[in-house]
Amino acid sequence: MENELHRRDHTGVQDFVLLEDFTNSEAFVENLRKRFTANLIYTYIGPVLVSVNPYQNFDIYNDEYVQIYRNVNFYELPPHIFAIADAAYRSMRGENRNQCVLISGESGSGKTEASKKILQFLAASSKHMKDVEQVKDRLLQSNPLLEAFGNAKTNRNDNSSRFGKYMDIQFDYKGVPVGGHILNYLLEKSRVVHHSDGERNFHIFYQLIAGGTPLLLSKLKLSKDAENYHYLTQGKSVRVDALNDHKDFNHVKHALDVCDFTAQEQEALFSIVASVLHLGNIQFEESEDGPANIADFTPVEYISQLLGCPEGILQSALQNKTIEAKGEKMKSPLNKDQALYARDALAKGVYDRLFTWIVKKVNDSLNSRKRMKCSLMGLLDIYGFEIFGVNSFEQFCINYCNEKLQQLFIELTLKSEQEEYQREGIAWEPVEYFNNKIICDLVEAKPVGIIAIMDEECLRPGEPTDATFLEKLDKNLGQHPHYISHSTDAAARKSIGRDEFRLLHFAGEVTYSIQGFLDKNNDLLFRDLKEAMSKTSNMITSQCFPAAELLNKKRPNTASTQFKTSLAQLMDILMSKEPSYVRCIKPNDYKRPDQFDDRIVHHQVKYLGLMENLRVRRAGFAYRRPYEIFLNRYKSLCPDTWPHYNGAAKDGVEVLVNHLQYSNDDYRLGKTKLFIRFPRVLFATEDAFQVRKNDLATIVQARYRGFAQKKKFRTMKLAAIMLQSHWRRVAAQRLLKRRRQAAERLRGFIKGFIHRLEPECDENKHFIQYTKYNYLMKLKGQLPRNVLDKKWPPAPQLLQKTSQLLKDLCMRNLTLSYVKSITPGRKAQVRFI
C-alpha cells in the first residue's frame, strides 16, 4: 500500500483510515469519487473492503491477477477482492481458523458478482486434480442455478438476489476444496404472483420460455410468448436488453447436469415451473349465489397432467376449503377473492418449496464424500438495507436482518481492534458508537417486540386485521424513541399515512405499509391445496408436500418467527468464524458506467455504517505496520539505519522515529508493530521519502554507471584474454604440428639411411628420393665445363650406376657441343696437322 501513498492527491487514499478529515462524510465520498474516476473500484477501511460497482467489465480478474494476489501480504498490493479472499484463505490454512466473508450492500451494488469473484479466486488457487475440479465446478455452477430460481430484474438491478445465501466451502488439511453447504434465507416468494412496474418475475420463467426447445415447451404446454402468462406480465418488462434468456437457460441446463440433477428430476423441475405459470392463468368468475367458479379449465387440466394430480381434487381444492368444527369436516366454497388468494398462495408455496428442494439437491451434490475434519470458509451474500416507495413485510424482514448484521459488524470490529491492541501491549481507548441493539430489541424482543405482537395478532381468535395490528403496535410501542406512527407523533402525520408506521433504523428512517403484513406473516396454505399436492406423482412435489405433514395438527411458525430463528442461527455461525467484510456500493440508480451520484453514495455510506466503522478504526491509531516492513521502507531517512541496520527491527524503528522527530503522542511501539496515530505524520514521512528517493536515485545512477563501466571493462579484458589465449593455443598447435612433421621426417630419413642399400620400400622410399634429389642438385653445380675437365662428383653407393650413366651422357653432350662449335677453318687446320 505504501507504494501508492504519493499518488493520493490524484487518486485518493486507498485506505480510508489515512483520511485526515475522517469524521467528514463529504471527504469520505470525495475519496471514493477520486478512485472511481480513476477506475479504482476498491478501497480499504483497515481490513474492510469497500467496492463500488463500475457497471462495466475491467480486466482485473484474470489468471495473472490471481497469481499476483496469491500468498501476498494484505497491504503489499492495491485493494482488491482477491486480497480479501487470499487473506481469509491463508488465515484458514495457516492458523486453522474457520473464516467467513460477509458481503453486504443494497440491490445493484455488486454483491453477487463479488461472491463469484471470491469463488473464482478460491477455485483458481487450489490444486487441479480430477476430483477437486469436480467439486470446484459444482461450487461455481451452483451460482447460475440459484440465480435463475432466486434472482429477478428489479428497478435497481437486472440481476437482483431476492433471497439471502450463506455458503460454507469445506477445505481439507491441504487447502483443497472438498465440498460445501448452502443455507438460504427468506426467498421473496410474493414476487411469483406480483411484481411492480418495470420489474420481472424470477429469471427461470423467462429463460424456460426463451430457451426451451419446441419439444420441451410442447410437453410443458407452454408457448414461446411470455406475454401469454399473467404472472410474467404485471411489470410490463418481459424482455430486458441486458439479459439473454436463451443463453442463460443453456447455462442453467449445464449447471443442472454438473450438480447431478438427473434427467427425470430436471423434467419434474421444469414441470413445476410450467405449472406455476399455468396457475397464474386460472381465472375465477363469481356465481349468483356467491361461490367462485373456474372460468377456464384448460390451465387446471395442464397442471394436473404436469404434476400428476387428479384433476377433480385440484379443481375442488382451488374452489373450496375444508373447515373442521367439533370433530366434523365440511367443505366451504370460496368466493372470488378467496379463490384468487388460494391460487396465489399455492403458486407461492409450490415455488418456495421447489427452491428449498433445489438448494437441498445442490447441497447433496456438494456434500463431501470424505470423512475428515475440514476447515470452513463461509460466504454471506445477503440483501442490503432497502428503502422503496412502498415498503412492506419483505423490506421489514430485510432491514431487520441488516440491523442484526450491523450489530454483529460493530461488535466484531471493536473486538478485533481490542484484541490487536491487547496483543501489542497498547492501552485501549474506549470508543463511543451507536449501539443499534435498541432497534433489534424493538423488532425481536418478547413480549412487546414487533414480531411478537404480529405473531400474537395472527394467532388470536376473532378477525385480526392489519389495522388491529397497527393499533397494538401504537399501544405497546408508541413511546419507543425509534417508533413513529400517524397516531403517536402529531408532527409526523403529514408524512405518515394512517396505515403506516416508521422505524428509525441505524441507516435512516423507513416507513412501512402494514397492508398484507399479517397475511405474509401467516403464510397460510389451505389444507385442501396441501392435500392435493401430496397426491401428485411428480417426484419433487411429492417430496415437498409429504402426506405426513397433513397429520401434524400443530400450527407452523409464522414467517417472521422462522426468519428470526434462522437469523439467530446465522449470527451464531458468523460469531464462530473469523470474519472478513466486503461493503458494496452502487454509484448511481441507472446502472450506467462512469457516473457517480454523490447523493446516492452518501445514502449508502450512511446505512452501511461505513463512517461508524471508520471512526472505530481511527479511534486509536490510523496506521499500523510490522517493524520489518516500516524499517525496510523508510530506513533511508536516517543515517543510522541506512543502508542496513544491524540489530532488532524494533530498535531500528525507534532510532528512525526519533531521527524523524515524532512526538510522543504521534506513535506507539507495540510488540511487533509500529502504531501511528495521525495520517499527517505518515504523509510527512512518505513525502520525505519521496524527496529522499531523488537523492537515492542519483546515488543509484552513479553506482550503476560505475558498475556498468566496470562491467564493460571486465568484459573487454576478458575478451582480450580469451583472444590471447586462443591465439597462443593456435600458435602452439602450429609449432607442435611443425615439430611433429619435422620429427616424422627425421625419423623417416634415419630409417631410409638404415635401409638405403635395400630395394625401394616404404622405409627407404623418401630417403632414396631425397638422396637422388640432393645428388642431382649437387651435381647440377659441379658438372664439367669442357671435355678436358675430367672431374666428376662422387655418387652415393645406391646411385653409382646412375652417376656413371649421367657422366657418360654429360661427356657425350660436351663432346657434341665442342664438335659443333669447331668452325670449318679450324676443322681444316686440325686435319692439316
Side-chain angles (χ1 to χ4, degrees), residues 41-42 49 51-58 61 80-82 103-104 106 108-121 140 143-144 147 151 157-161 165 203 243 379-382 582 584:
I41 62 174
Y42 296 120
L49 181 70
S51 169
V52 182
N53 192 343
Y55 291 118
Q56 57 182 309
N57 293 321
F58 291 147
Y61 306 105
H80 199 288
I81 189 76
F82 288 169
I103 307 172
S104 59
E106 75 170 48
S109 59
K111 299 187 301 298
T112 301
E113 286 301 313
S115 66
K116 289 180 183 177
K117 300 308 179 189
I118 292 175
L119 276 177
Q120 173 194 337
F121 180 86
L140 294 173
N143 266 320
E147 282 181 19
N151 288 24
N157 184 5
D158 290 339
N159 188 33
S160 175
S161 297
K165 181 179 73 172
H203 292 324
L243 300 176
L379 287 179
L380 179 65
D381 174 9
I382 204 161
V582 179
C584 298

Side-chain angles (χ1 to χ4, degrees), residues 158-426:
D158 290 339
N159 188 33
S160 175
S161 297
R162 306 318 299 162
F163 72 106
K165 181 179 73 172
Y166 177 79
M167 172 188 283
D168 260 334
I169 307 169
Q170 301 168 344
F171 294 86
D172 66 10
Y173 69 96
K174 294 180 290 187
V176 173
V178 294
H181 188 79
I182 296 173
L183 298 174
N184 62 296
Y185 300 94
L186 192 68
L187 176 72
E188 189 189 22
K189 57 187 177 183
S190 61
R191 181 169 292 273
V192 174
V193 300
H194 176 74
H195 44 273
S196 304
D197 285 348
E199 299 190 351
R200 296 206 312 177
N201 211 319
F202 293 103
H203 292 324
I204 188 61
F205 296 112
Y206 307 93
Q207 292 171 358
L208 176 59
I209 290 174
T213 63
L215 178 61
L216 176 61
L217 295 180
S218 175
K219 285 183 179 180
L220 301 178
K221 315 297 181 185
L222 295 175
S223 68
K224 269 285 186 183
D225 190 359
E227 299 282 354
N228 294 332
Y229 301 97
H230 172 66
Y231 282 162
L232 304 186
T233 58
Q234 299 173 46
K236 303 180 181 65
S237 183
V238 171
R239 292 172 184 82
V240 181
D241 294 336
L243 300 176
N244 187 333
D245 292 322
H246 186 281
K247 181 179 178 181
D248 290 342
F249 183 72
N250 293 330
H251 291 164
V252 172
K253 290 281 289 179
H254 174 66
L256 289 168
D257 293 333
V258 170
C259 293
D260 282 349
F261 284 73
T262 65
Q264 294 78 13
E265 288 172 335
Q266 293 184 36
E267 182 179 350
L269 186 152
F270 291 132
S271 295
I272 296 174
V273 174
S275 297
V276 172
L277 293 179
H278 292 308
L279 264 174
N281 283 357
I282 297 177
Q283 299 298 323
F284 297 91
E285 52 188 14
E286 208 158 29
S287 60
E288 294 180 0
D289 55 350
N293 296 317
I294 296 174
D296 182 3
F297 287 95
T298 304
V300 179
E301 180 183 341
Y302 289 163
I303 296 169
S304 298
Q305 294 175 14
L306 291 171
L307 299 183
C309 177
E311 186 175 344
I313 294 178
L314 178 59
Q315 177 184 334
S316 174
L318 288 169
Q319 297 181 115
N320 302 279
K321 69 175 179 178
T322 298
I323 299 175
E324 186 172 352
K326 297 181 180 180
E328 294 185 5
K329 295 181 180 179
M330 56 185 300
K331 287 190 177 295
S332 172
L334 303 175
N335 60 34
K336 184 176 180 180
D337 290 340
Q338 291 173 331
L340 289 173
Y341 173 85
R343 176 201 70 182
D344 291 345
L346 178 60
K348 291 187 292 184
V350 167
Y351 192 84
D352 182 51
R353 297 195 187 199
L354 170 65
F355 187 78
T356 302
W357 180 86
I358 291 173
V359 173
K360 180 179 180 299
K361 181 68 179 177
V362 170
N363 283 335
D364 290 341
S365 73
L366 293 176
N367 186 33
S368 174
R369 305 295 189 269
K370 301 178 181 178
R371 293 289 174 254
M372 63 174 69
K373 183 178 179 180
C374 295
S375 298
L376 300 177
M377 180 179 293
L379 287 179
L380 179 65
D381 174 9
I382 204 161
Y383 11 65
F385 202 84
E386 291 188 349
I387 304 177
F388 296 148
V390 176
N391 301 288
S392 188
F393 179 79
E394 291 82 7
Q395 282 67 51
F396 171 77
C397 292
I398 287 171
N399 294 341
Y400 163 51
C401 173
N402 278 272
E403 288 284 358
K404 294 290 288 184
L405 288 174
Q406 176 66 10
Q407 184 182 24
L408 178 75
F409 176 60
I410 294 297
E411 285 180 3
L412 291 179
T413 301
L414 283 171
K415 180 182 176 183
S416 65
E417 285 285 293
Q418 285 177 321
E419 286 178 349
E420 182 171 21
Y421 278 49
Q422 187 176 0
R423 283 195 306 269
E424 294 296 324
I426 294 177

Side-chain angles (χ1 to χ4, degrees), residues 515-534:
Q515 299 299 323
F517 253 71
L518 295 189
D519 282 341
K520 292 176 181 178
N521 189 46
N522 268 321
D523 196 25
L524 291 178
L525 184 61
F526 292 150
R527 183 183 182 85
D528 302 75
L529 295 171
K530 289 183 182 179
E531 187 174 349
M533 291 299 101
S534 69

